[in-house]
Amino acid sequence: MRALLLSLVLTLGACSSTEVQEYAGNEPALTLEDFFQGSLTAHGVLKSRGGTVTRYFNATIEASWDDEGVGRLAERFEFDDGEIQHRNWTLEPQEDGSYKATAGDVIGEGRAETSGNALKMDYVLEVDYKNRKLALNVEDWMWRVDEDTIINQSTLRKWGFRVGTIQLTIIRQRD
């Protein structure tokens, strides 16, 4: 009986997944090459699976695109406990309009899709947890809310179960 109930819950959860195309008509449009250009900042929280905030962070992002349309985002995170983390993303456009997303702590390749004001990115992130490495499935959602602001929500999963979330705001810096 428990196996049947678990199977039903997992199946229903899979059916409720939102697709990025549902945001096709939303404005302002999120074009990665436009928004992620130059200096940006990010400010957010990491929450446990129960919803309790466990960490706060601020980040800087330096973003650029080369002549082939490949984007690079150099991120520097500073957490409230003093820990510093770096992540360097490479975003390569694909023929279908999506992007291949890679970084040093991403296992394999992630995939990013945009539509309207939204971005959905899926990848596997390797994190240090209690002196060991964990591979977490990450579903990243970003929504552009105005010319200079994105709201980002990430869901972290292990074995299909939500183990945490990240909420942050990304702000494009103007000279």
Side-chain angles (χ1 to χ4, degrees):
M1 181 66 173
R2 284 185 181 172
L4 177 61
L5 182 59
L6 180 59
S7 175
L8 180 61
V9 168
L10 292 175
T11 300
L12 290 175
C15 294
S16 66
S17 182
T18 302
E19 296 298 326
V20 72
Q21 291 77 14
E22 293 180 37
Y23 298 95
N26 291 11
E27 295 288 334
L30 175 55
T31 305
L32 298 186
E33 297 85 352
D34 172 49
F35 189 87
F36 289 98
Q37 183 65 37
S39 298
L40 303 102
T41 60
H43 314 277
V45 295
L46 175 63
K47 294 181 175 183
S48 69
R49 71 174 166 232
T52 302
V53 173
T54 59
R55 298 181 88 182
Y56 300 85
F57 64 88
N58 292 292
T60 58
I61 304 167
E62 292 299 325
S64 63
W65 297 82
D66 66 20
D67 292 338
E68 287 79 43
V70 175
R72 290 183 174 52
L73 281 65
E75 301 175 332
R76 181 186 185 276
F77 295 88
E78 187 169 340
F79 292 87
D80 59 319
D81 62 3
E83 181 183 0
I84 305 288
Q85 289 183 10
H86 296 272
R87 181 168 300 115
N88 294 306
W89 285 102
T90 300
L91 301 172
E92 295 181 48
Q94 303 298 294
E95 288 184 18
D96 66 359
S98 68
Y99 295 82
K100 177 173 71 171
T102 57
D105 54 356
V106 170
I107 299 170
E109 299 174 353
R111 176 180 166 83
E113 293 181 85
T114 61
S115 185
N117 73 329
L119 171 135
K120 181 183 180 192
M121 188 161 74
D122 294 297
Y123 55 96
V124 178
L125 184 65
E126 184 177 72
V127 298
D128 292 319
Y129 182 72
K130 295 185 178 181
N131 296 320
R132 62 185 195 146
K133 301 283 187 187
L134 286 181
L136 299 178
N137 294 301
V138 180
E139 182 180 77
D140 250 344
W141 278 96
M142 296 183 193
W143 299 274
R144 187 173 187 178
V145 295
D146 64 31
E147 185 156 328
D148 296 320
T149 311
I150 284 179
I151 302 296
N152 182 191
Q153 179 172 304
S154 303
T155 302
L156 312 172
R157 288 187 171 86
K158 183 72 179 168
W159 300 302
F161 295 98
R162 185 180 63 144
V163 296
T165 59
I166 300 170
Q167 294 172 325
L168 63 105
T169 302
I170 301 171
I171 302 169
R172 186 166 52 172
Q173 303 301 295
R174 298 288 184 164
D175 293 330

